[in-house]
Amino acid sequence: MRLTRCWAALAAAIILNLLVFFYVSWLQHQPRNSRARGPRRTSAIGPRVTVLIREFEAFDNAVPELVDSFLQQDPAQPVVVAADTLPYPPLALPRIPNVRLALLQPAL
């Protein structure tokens, strides 16, 4: 059986796809800390993304833990928790300037 150029190109493409697949699979199984991460570039202007937390149950939520997890990644990360009314029981948010609670329907 003779190997044509079409069959050779098809076999090469399949082998290349398999190599890429195995490499990506190997990268995903590496622990996060062992992957080489480039230096983080922060702009002189400040952070470029604000985290907005909008939908949560007022009585049963994990908003303070979620805010803490974002702040562990970047302590200067702005976080805004938006609620229609003041949640009860009150949220135990960190008292730092970049974490705010915004009420969407303020009352006097």
Side-chain angles (χ1 to χ4, degrees):
M1 184 170 148
R2 188 171 156 223
L3 186 65
T4 62
R5 278 188 276 159
C6 180
W7 282 100
L10 182 62
I14 290 173
I15 290 172
L16 180 67
N17 282 336
L18 285 174
L19 289 174
V20 168
F21 173 74
F22 285 125
Y23 178 70
V24 169
S25 176
W26 176 77
L27 280 180
Q28 288 180 347
H29 289 288
Q30 297 299 314
R32 285 190 182 265
N33 295 338
S34 70
R35 287 189 220 164
R37 297 180 78 180
R40 290 186 65 176
R41 292 184 294 169
T42 58
S43 109
I45 300 170
R48 297 165 68 183
V49 176
T50 299
V51 176
L52 175 67
I53 302 170
R54 174 69 177 102
E55 293 287 331
F56 59 91
E57 294 290 333
F59 56 89
D60 183 28
N61 59 54
V63 173
E65 292 84 5
L66 180 63
V67 170
D68 287 337
S69 70
F70 279 115
L71 292 177
Q72 285 176 0
Q73 297 296 320
D74 185 7
Q77 179 74 46
V79 178
V80 176
V81 179
D84 292 328
T85 59
L86 193 61
Y88 185 82
L91 297 174
L93 298 175
R95 296 192 185 280
I96 55 177
N98 55 331
V99 177
R100 295 185 332 126
L101 174 65
L103 298 178
L104 300 179
Q105 296 177 352
L108 295 176

